[in-house]
């Protein structure tokens, strides 16, 4: 084994790779104020962003599901890596050579995490295939691309390559790079043969590398080129530890920034369609990989689109029966988007690649712009199934179509669509259809199905999540944020974690009993165990998290380190106010306790005991008055 990674190297990796740069590879981040960024949490379904990143602190926290931590924690959680695998991945990105306590400066392949090794194998394979595309054998592949309007620059942009027709060209190449036969089988790049020796899975095919949202190659799509190839037209990587076809979108690594920027995604059906769209300037195009567009794909897009009111997803499908079936299947998932969903179908049943060849780049851009709301397409499909020549057929069509319109939550668009439906059905009394739709909508609303916030366009609606309010850590005691004491204690702890220099050294003299909420007292204890706020430099927050007694307190530390401080100007004056308020409340509580003690003692108590209690009471009252008069100077 390679051994434990040197602590200094771990710290160097944490410092070298900004957390916002890492997180933004997976979701869109926007300004949240106070130097923080926000986005839709990748770890649970939500429709308003409660996930925040603090670049200055190097931490993230979700106020919805309580997930949080530093850059390494994020990579471990989102990509299911071990700690060492996460360090190794980020070290590779930062160009840092890791030292292993029991193995010198090199890790040795046996000590590398499986996922890291599989990703490395795919990266090497992608380079191998790309190089092979320039060889004599790959002439058929280059001709295939050229016939579809793609030159060498396009192939290089998408990393398109060629797998040689022999049995084990890639296998031998990767063995030479230090990969074991077991790793080649696990990666899906090789498969067992009858002789028991691994052979290449992909042979004599045009190869498209499939990358995850972070840009790592996790699989391949392989297109048949020769008539004597008895395999399927497209052969994809099998399910592996790093490749799940329901969780990847081809082209997402190239399209994600433009999707986030424009709040628009264009979903096409194949690799060449993605290429054609991008070459034509539609750089938000993506495609599924050998499977229907489904729930996991929606989650990926929603994190990029951020579910804002202007977000739009446009599906392009062939005009044949299979294309129409795919469109209706997409409509079934329509309500999972808080975005307008539309459909566009090229004339003559052409796909975007064919359309670009026949009519040029402008036609592809025009195809996307000539979209139709998906709900309208579904309505027309429903109506087409019925005989509208007789009253019974029109009534049956209305029964099936009216609930679709009633599901549109934007009232204005719902009314307009009801009128449109009446026209489709040939029903002259438009108000009859409008009232029927409104009745169904009220029925759904009365049953509690009415979302509270409206999107635009086709009525994409979604429940308005509460503003990102701090929550108690999972499994922890409840925090009453309506309590002025709890709010002030929270602010002081945020200052102690985020701006320790502003509250030091006074904060370190505060006792645990000055924090009335048990979770806050536990955070105060963790700060003390980490050396106190006066030691708030370098890896201070990491030390506080490590000092936390359990995951619940550790999550609260992260939450407080990320949450914005509620002040326009965070300075010594603001910090002093929080210090004074927490201390003053503690003093007032103690005064109240002593007054109760005096009442219980009564006049019969020994004089020396009465004098001691009165002296403590007098001292505390004087101290409290000083705090009220002088503020932080009185501490």
């Amino acid at each position: 084994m390679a051994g434990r990674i040197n602590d200094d190297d771990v710290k160097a990796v944490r410092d070298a790779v900004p957390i916002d740069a890492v997180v933004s590879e997976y979701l869109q981040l926007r300004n949240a104020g106070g130097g923080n960024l926000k986005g839709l949490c990748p770890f649970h379904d939500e429709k308003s962003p409660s996930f925040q990143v603090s670049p200055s602190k190097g931490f993230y926290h979700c106020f919805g599901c309580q997930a949080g931590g530093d850059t390494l924690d994020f990579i471990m959680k989102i990509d299911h890596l071990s700690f060492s695998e996460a360090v190794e991945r980020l070290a590779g990105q930062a160009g840092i050579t890791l030292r292993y306590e029991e193995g010198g400066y090199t890790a040795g392949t046996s000590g590398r995490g499986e996922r890291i090794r599989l990703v490395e194998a795919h990266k090497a394979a992608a380079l191998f295939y790309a190089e092979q595309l320039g060889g004599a054998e790959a002439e058929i592949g280059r001709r295939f691309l050229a016939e579809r309007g793609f030159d060498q620059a396009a192939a290089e942009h998408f990393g398109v390559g060629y797998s040689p027709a022999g049995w084990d060209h890639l296998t031998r190449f990767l063995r030479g790079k230090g990969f074991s036969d077991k790793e080649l089988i696990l990666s899906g790049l090789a498969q067992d043969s009858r002789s028991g020796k691994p052979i290449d899975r992909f042979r004599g095919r045009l190869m498209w590398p499939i990358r995850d949202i972070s840009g790592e190659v996790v699989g391949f799509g392989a297109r048949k080129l020769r008539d004597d190839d008895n395999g399927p037209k497209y052969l994809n990587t099998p399910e592996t530890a790093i490749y799940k076809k329901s969780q990847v979108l081809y082209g997402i690594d190239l399209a994600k920034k433009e999707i986030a920027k424009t709040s628009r995604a264009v979903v096409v059906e194949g690799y060449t369609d993605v290429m054609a769209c991008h070459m034509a300037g539609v750089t938000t195009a993506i495609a599924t990989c050998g499977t229907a567009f489904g729930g996991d794909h929606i989650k990926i897009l929603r994190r990029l689109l951020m579910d804002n009111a202007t977000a739009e997803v446009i599906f392009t499908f062939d005009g044949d029966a299979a294309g129409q079936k795919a469109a209706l299947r997409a409509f079934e998932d329509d309500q999972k988007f808080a975005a307008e969903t539309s459909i566009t179908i090229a004339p003559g049943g052409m796909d975007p690649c064919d359309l670009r060849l026949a009519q040029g780049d402008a036609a592809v851009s025009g195809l996307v712009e000539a979209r139709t709301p998906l709900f309208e397409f579904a309505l027309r499909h429903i109506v087409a199934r019925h005989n509208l020549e007789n009253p019974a057929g029109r009534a049956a069509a209305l029964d099936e179509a009216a609930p679709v319109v009633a599901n549109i939550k934007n009232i204005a668009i719902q009314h307009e669509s009801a009128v449109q439906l009446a026209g489709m059905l040939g029903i002259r009394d438009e108000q009859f259809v409008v009232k029927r739709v409104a009745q169904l909508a009220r029925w759904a609303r009365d049953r509690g199905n009415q979302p509270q916030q409206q999107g635009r366009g086709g009525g994409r609606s979604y429940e308005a999540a509460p503003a990102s309010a701090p929550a108690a850590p999972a499994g922890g005691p409840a925090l009453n944020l309506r309590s002025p004491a709890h709010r002030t204690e929270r602010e002081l702890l945020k200052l102690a974690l985020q701006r320790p220099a502003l509250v030091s050294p006074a904060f370190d003299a505060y006792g645990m009993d000055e924090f009335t909420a048990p979770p806050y007292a536990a955070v105060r204890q963790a700060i003390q165990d980490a050396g106190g706020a006066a030691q708030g430099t370098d890896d201070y927050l990491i030390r506080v998290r490590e000092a936390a007694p359990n995951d619940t307190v550790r999550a609260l530390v992260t939450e407080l380190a990320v949450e914005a401080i509620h002040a326009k100007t965070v300075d010594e004056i603001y910090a002093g106010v929080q210090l004074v308020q927490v201390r003053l409340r503690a003093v007032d509580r103690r005064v109240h306790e002593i007054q109760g003690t005096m009442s219980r003692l009564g006049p019969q108590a020994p004089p020396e005991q009465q004098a001691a209690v009165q002296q403590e009471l007098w001292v505390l009252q004087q101290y409290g008055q000083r705090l009220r008069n002088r503020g932080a100077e009185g501490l």
Side-chain angles (χ1 to χ4, degrees):
M1 296 296 291
R4 182 173 178 271
I5 301 173
N6 180 278
D7 288 341
D8 290 339
D9 291 349
V10 173
K11 183 179 184 304
V13 168
R14 279 193 174 106
D15 295 341
V17 187
I19 190 169
D20 51 321
V22 173
V23 174
S24 62
E25 291 292 328
Y26 296 84
L27 59 140
Q28 182 187 171
L29 293 174
R30 292 180 178 168
N31 185 16
N36 285 359
L37 302 168
K38 66 181 179 181
L40 290 176
C41 181
F43 304 124
H44 81 287
D45 283 336
E46 63 175 5
K47 297 181 179 180
S48 291
S50 59
F51 181 93
Q52 292 207 12
V53 175
S54 174
S56 63
K57 305 300 181 301
F59 284 94
Y60 74 92
H61 182 81
C62 176
F63 293 96
C65 70
Q66 306 302 311
D70 62 11
T71 313
L72 293 173
D73 292 314
F74 180 82
I75 288 295
M76 289 166 63
K77 188 172 180 66
I78 199 165
D79 283 331
H80 310 289
L81 302 179
S82 67
F83 177 80
S84 60
E85 288 174 329
V87 174
E88 288 168 348
R89 172 184 285 192
L90 293 182
Q93 293 178 10
I96 295 173
T97 301
L98 297 175
R99 293 169 292 179
Y100 294 76
E101 300 291 359
E102 301 171 15
Y105 277 79
T106 56
T109 58
S110 62
R112 306 300 298 278
E114 177 185 289
R115 182 182 177 89
I116 295 292
R117 293 291 292 167
L118 298 188
V119 169
E120 288 176 344
H122 276 79
K123 181 178 180 180
L127 293 173
F128 172 82
Y129 290 143
E131 184 177 348
Q132 299 303 308
L133 186 61
E137 182 188 327
E139 168 60 26
I140 187 174
R142 296 193 297 273
R143 188 166 62 250
F144 176 94
L145 292 172
E147 289 172 352
R148 284 154 182 79
F150 304 123
D151 57 15
Q152 181 179 347
E156 291 176 354
H157 181 67
F158 288 91
V160 182
Y162 176 80
S163 55
W167 291 104
D168 60 355
H169 289 282
L170 178 67
T171 298
R172 286 187 284 110
F173 173 78
L174 292 178
R175 279 177 183 156
K177 294 289 185 180
F179 293 97
S180 67
D181 287 354
K182 179 182 178 182
E183 288 172 332
L184 298 183
I185 296 295
L186 289 174
S187 70
L189 294 170
Q191 60 189 14
D192 285 321
S193 66
R194 294 178 182 178
S195 66
K197 295 181 179 180
I199 58 173
D200 296 347
R201 177 177 296 276
F202 305 110
R203 302 184 299 276
R205 288 180 171 243
L206 203 58
M207 306 296 296
W208 279 269
I210 300 170
R211 295 180 171 87
D212 63 17
I213 196 169
S214 70
E216 300 281 10
V217 180
V218 294
F220 289 93
R223 211 288 186 182
K224 180 168 71 171
L225 296 171
R226 295 176 174 85
D227 293 338
D228 59 357
D229 186 337
N230 295 321
K233 180 177 179 181
Y234 279 96
L235 178 65
N236 280 14
T237 294
E239 298 278 307
T240 69
I242 63 172
Y243 179 79
K244 303 287 188 293
K245 62 183 179 182
S246 65
Q247 298 174 12
V248 292
L249 287 165
Y250 178 71
I252 193 69
D253 57 309
L254 298 173
K256 63 183 178 182
K257 290 184 179 177
E258 194 67 16
I259 290 174
K261 178 181 177 181
T262 63
S263 292
R264 174 191 280 189
V266 177
V267 182
V268 298
E269 292 193 278
Y271 307 127
T272 56
D273 292 334
V274 171
M275 293 177 70
C277 284
H278 280 246
M279 294 296 101
V282 183
T283 53
T284 58
I286 51 174
T288 60
C289 300
T291 186
F293 190 87
D296 287 333
H297 300 124
I298 291 173
K299 291 178 182 178
I300 296 172
L301 282 185
R302 286 184 60 239
R303 294 199 296 267
L304 293 175
L305 294 168
M306 187 104 58
D307 281 359
N308 62 61
T310 62
E312 183 178 19
V313 179
I314 303 170
F315 294 91
T316 68
F317 294 108
D318 294 344
D320 57 14
Q324 292 200 13
K325 183 177 180 181
L328 293 173
R329 188 165 54 239
F331 179 69
E332 293 174 5
D333 286 326
D334 188 39
Q335 289 296 318
K336 295 179 182 178
F337 282 108
E340 179 181 352
T341 51
S342 304
I343 183 173
T344 184
I345 298 176
M350 291 187 288
D351 57 32
C353 185
D354 294 332
L355 183 63
R356 178 172 177 259
L357 279 174
Q359 301 180 26
D361 291 348
V364 177
S365 299
L367 172 66
V368 173
E369 295 305 322
R371 58 203 181 278
T372 300
L374 193 53
F375 79 91
E376 182 179 323
F377 173 84
L379 280 183
R380 294 189 181 281
H381 191 271
I382 290 170
V383 170
R385 292 203 300 264
H386 297 274
N387 181 5
L388 303 182
E389 298 299 322
N390 59 69
R394 290 192 292 273
L398 177 62
D399 287 343
E400 188 176 351
V404 174
V405 179
N407 204 33
I408 301 170
K409 303 307 185 288
N410 186 307
I411 301 301
I413 296 177
Q414 182 190 96
H415 176 86
E416 183 179 336
S417 299
V419 173
Q420 184 179 5
L421 176 61
M424 290 182 190
L425 297 174
I427 296 176
R428 295 182 180 180
D429 188 354
E430 295 176 349
Q431 289 305 308
F432 174 77
V433 177
V434 170
K435 290 178 181 178
R436 176 70 180 278
V437 167
Q439 183 182 41
L440 290 171
R442 282 195 301 272
W443 179 78
R445 185 167 58 248
D446 292 342
R447 287 173 60 98
N449 295 332
Q450 175 70 32
Q452 301 171 14
Q453 184 171 342
Q454 294 179 355
R456 75 175 183 99
R460 294 290 63 78
S461 308
Y462 52 99
E463 296 178 2
S468 296
L479 298 173
N480 180 13
L481 294 182
R482 294 182 179 178
S483 160
H486 283 193
R487 289 202 301 269
T488 307
E489 291 168 18
R490 188 179 188 93
E491 281 296 285
L492 181 55
L493 287 173
K494 287 193 292 185
L495 286 164
L497 291 168
Q498 299 181 33
R499 303 288 292 275
L502 290 180
V503 295
S504 298
F507 178 86
D508 290 336
Y510 280 44
M512 311 308 149
D513 58 348
E514 298 193 57
F515 294 85
T516 58
Y520 294 160
V523 173
R524 169 67 190 95
Q525 181 69 58
I527 293 173
Q528 177 174 301
D529 293 344
Q535 303 298 318
T537 57
D538 295 332
D539 57 351
Y540 166 63
L541 287 175
I542 294 173
R543 285 187 280 110
V544 175
R545 277 172 46 85
E546 291 175 346
N550 53 51
D551 289 341
T552 299
V553 177
R554 192 169 298 112
L556 183 55
V557 169
T558 308
E559 179 177 327
L560 295 173
V562 170
E563 184 180 313
I565 296 171
H566 298 308
K568 291 184 179 179
T569 303
V570 182
D571 54 14
E572 292 181 354
I573 296 175
Y574 183 75
V577 170
Q578 311 313 310
L579 284 165
V580 168
Q581 287 185 358
V582 170
R583 174 59 58 81
L584 192 54
R585 286 195 176 99
V587 169
D588 289 343
R589 287 194 301 272
R590 182 56 184 158
V591 166
H592 184 73
E593 290 173 3
I594 293 174
Q595 289 174 335
T597 299
M598 291 180 64
S599 297
R600 289 191 297 273
L601 287 174
Q604 306 304 320
E608 61 276 11
Q609 185 176 5
Q610 284 188 344
V613 173
Q614 287 175 342
Q615 175 65 20
E616 183 181 358
L617 178 61
W618 182 83
V619 169
L620 284 171
Q621 287 174 331
Q622 292 299 307
Y623 182 43
Q625 192 60 44
R626 187 167 81 243
L627 290 174
R628 289 182 174 88
N629 292 338
R630 300 178 58 189
E633 292 181 4
L635 289 170

